[in-house]
Amino acid sequence: MGISLGWHMLFAAFGVTLPLLAAAAEGIGLLRRSPLHLELARRWSVATGLLFAIGAVSGTALSFELGLLWPRLMAVAGPVLGVALFLEGFAFFVEAVFLGLYLYGWERLPAWAHWASGLLVAAAGSASSLLVTAANAWMQLPSGRMAALADPLAAVMRNPVWWPMALHSTLAAWTAAAFALAGGEAWSLLRRPHAREAARHAAGLRLAMALGLVGAVAMPLSGDAGGRVVAALEPVKLAAMEARFTTRAAAPLYVGGLPDVARRTVRWALEIPGGLSWLAYRRTGAVVRGLESVPRALWPDVTLTHLSFQVMVGSGLVLLAGTLLYWLRAARGRPPRWLLRLLLVASPFGFVALESGWLVSESGRQPWAVAGLLPTARAVTPAAGTPVSLAGFVLLYAGLSAALVYFLRRMAEPGARPEGGSGEPAGEGLAAEVVDDAP
């Protein structure tokens, strides 16, 4: 199921982000009467439809896997998880309805009604992301099993872990997809397209980097808020994230490093004295609980959790540096080719951060499926034959990935345009008007 979730997250991120960018492009197009931005919105809406269809397939597979692979989990936590997943499903159906109107409403709906349907697609997509996180948040911190079963809606909505997780994961999804789109637009500009296509790619790059700026700047703030919630309510997870084996005051912050679990130390890390105490409690002398405070059998995988956390933070810093560099350079004029190449290289780091952050959340909760209530070993199915279903799902995702790459390549071909679009190449010039051609 980890493979399914990891694969589905890629499409969920685009499903949350692309409608937002398409609605922004259409709004600019309507306000400025800009055919260029309207064409950009139309292209992104077609890509949204394609990714939505493939994401719906993987989401359906996940719902089957929950019941087939985790029968005990659903027996124990089904009433609570069902509420969160029902609300997420409702948002998904709203998104599907208005996405249909948006895709087929070009030149059929009044312009502002069409734009409003795009905004509703974006709102429903983000709501879906926020609501599905509620289920996972309850698994991280179940607020009393019996109380939760009596009032499952309150259990998921009032969970103190939910909002920090939901906000941070939604920002991460925006940032990951925005940087991936920016990388695609940068790659298209580096191919020296015709003037009109170059102008459209430059407009797409600016919009993607605008959202990337919001996400890259806000993620450290939301991560800091979430980290303090983890320190207060999930101290064992924090200890695994920081490879903090012993309980001590003025705990240092480790930057990098490889945990040596047998010797209970961290090798080759840069230590910032008192840094972890300050980040967790805003006091450099505060006491931070170590893993030694719980039995060894209840430790998460320290190496996986710590390294995933370091990769997540490092990737986030790469994105922050990339977006600041882009906007500092953009304020002086056209982006040079070296900056486009840099954005192309940085474009996967958003998804690296997204996937590693998910690993931190899930591995840091182990050995529990529902923290403190249900061990993972008891929650998973004892049935034989799971390797066969795993092979089937891997083949399904490989086929869907191949289809996605094929259709996206077709859409990205120079001169290709969505049905009914007005994107005729204008002029034979290169991208000189939107890209500084200096190497």
Side-chain angles (χ1 to χ4, degrees):
M1 191 165 177
I3 292 175
S4 297
L5 277 169
W7 198 84
H8 180 71
M9 284 170 59
L10 306 178
F11 297 92
F14 279 113
V16 170
T17 308
L18 263 177
L20 189 62
L21 287 171
E26 186 176 5
I28 294 172
L30 293 174
L31 288 171
R32 296 182 181 175
R33 300 182 185 277
S34 166
L36 193 74
H37 284 87
L38 292 176
E39 184 182 342
L40 180 63
R42 194 164 192 143
R43 285 175 174 272
W44 279 348
S45 69
V46 174
T48 299
L50 175 62
L51 291 161
F52 183 88
I54 293 179
V57 174
S58 61
T60 304
L62 278 171
S63 64
F64 280 114
E65 285 179 304
L66 265 179
L68 291 172
L69 301 179
W70 303 94
R72 182 64 179 162
L73 170 66
M74 297 312 293
V76 171
V80 179
L81 300 185
V83 170
L85 296 177
F86 166 77
L87 293 173
E88 188 267 343
F90 185 79
F92 173 80
F93 285 123
V94 170
E95 182 181 6
V97 168
F98 283 98
L99 179 59
L101 290 173
Y102 193 66
L103 288 175
Y104 294 101
W106 289 99
E107 298 163 0
R108 294 181 177 88
L109 291 174
W112 292 102
H114 184 266
W115 182 51
S117 67
L119 289 175
L120 287 170
V121 174
S126 294
S128 179
S129 170
L130 295 172
L131 290 168
V132 77
T133 311
N136 189 273
W138 188 80
M139 293 169 67
Q140 306 288 337
L141 188 73
S143 50
R145 182 185 173 190
M146 296 311 296
L149 294 179
D151 191 352
L153 183 61
V156 295
M157 292 298 166
R158 296 177 183 173
N159 192 311
V161 176
W162 176 36
W163 269 109
M165 277 188 70
L167 177 61
H168 193 61
S169 61
T170 301
L171 288 170
W174 286 358
T175 309
F179 264 83
L181 285 172
E185 302 291 11
W187 177 70
S188 298
L189 286 170
L190 287 168
R191 297 173 67 191
R192 300 175 185 273
H194 288 283
R196 183 182 179 82
E197 289 182 343
R200 190 186 68 238
H201 291 309
L205 178 62
R206 280 192 296 273
L207 276 174
M209 290 306 294
L211 186 59
L213 176 65
V214 172
V217 171
M219 272 202 306
L221 302 176
S222 66
D224 176 66
R228 281 187 284 157
V229 172
V230 169
L233 302 175
E234 301 176 89
V236 176
K237 179 188 287 186
L238 178 70
M241 289 162 61
E242 293 291 341
R244 180 75 261 151
F245 291 99
T246 57
T247 299
R248 61 165 290 184
L253 178 71
Y254 293 135
V255 179
L258 181 65
D260 184 338
V261 179
R263 297 179 181 275
R264 301 192 176 189
T265 187
V266 180
R267 299 180 182 277
W268 310 303
L270 172 65
E271 293 189 23
I272 302 176
L276 178 58
S277 292
W278 186 83
L279 284 176
Y281 302 107
R282 291 297 188 264
R283 289 181 288 113
T284 56
V287 175
V288 177
R289 275 180 63 183
L291 288 161
E292 65 176 10
S293 62
V294 297
R296 178 67 180 84
L298 298 182
W299 289 14
D301 186 326
V302 180
T303 302
L304 176 62
T305 308
H306 177 72
L307 292 182
S308 299
F309 181 66
Q310 297 294 320
V311 170
M312 180 190 73
V313 173
S315 300
L317 292 176
V318 169
L319 299 177
L320 181 60
T323 194
L324 292 178
L325 187 60
Y326 171 82
W327 284 109
L328 286 173
R329 187 62 181 81
R332 295 164 51 192
R334 299 164 293 178
R337 298 181 70 80
W338 65 263
L339 183 55
L340 297 177
R341 294 189 186 99
L342 187 66
L343 292 176
L344 183 59
V345 171
S347 61
F349 279 89
F351 281 106
V352 172
L354 186 66
E355 297 281 354
S356 56
W358 168 65
L359 277 176
V360 171
S361 178
E362 296 305 297
S363 65
R365 190 183 66 232
Q366 300 306 312
W368 303 99
V370 180
L373 289 181
L374 180 64
T376 303
R378 287 183 56 201
V380 72
T381 178
T386 51
V388 177
S389 67
L390 172 64
F393 280 116
V394 169
L395 286 175
L396 170 68
Y397 299 144
L400 290 174
S401 298
L404 176 66
V405 170
Y406 171 76
F407 285 114
L408 289 180
R409 283 180 63 87
R410 289 287 305 272
M411 290 175 59
E413 287 175 357
R417 60 181 188 276
E419 184 180 352
S422 57
E424 291 294 337
E428 296 297 322
L430 299 179
E433 293 184 0
V434 293
V435 178
D436 187 339
D437 221 25

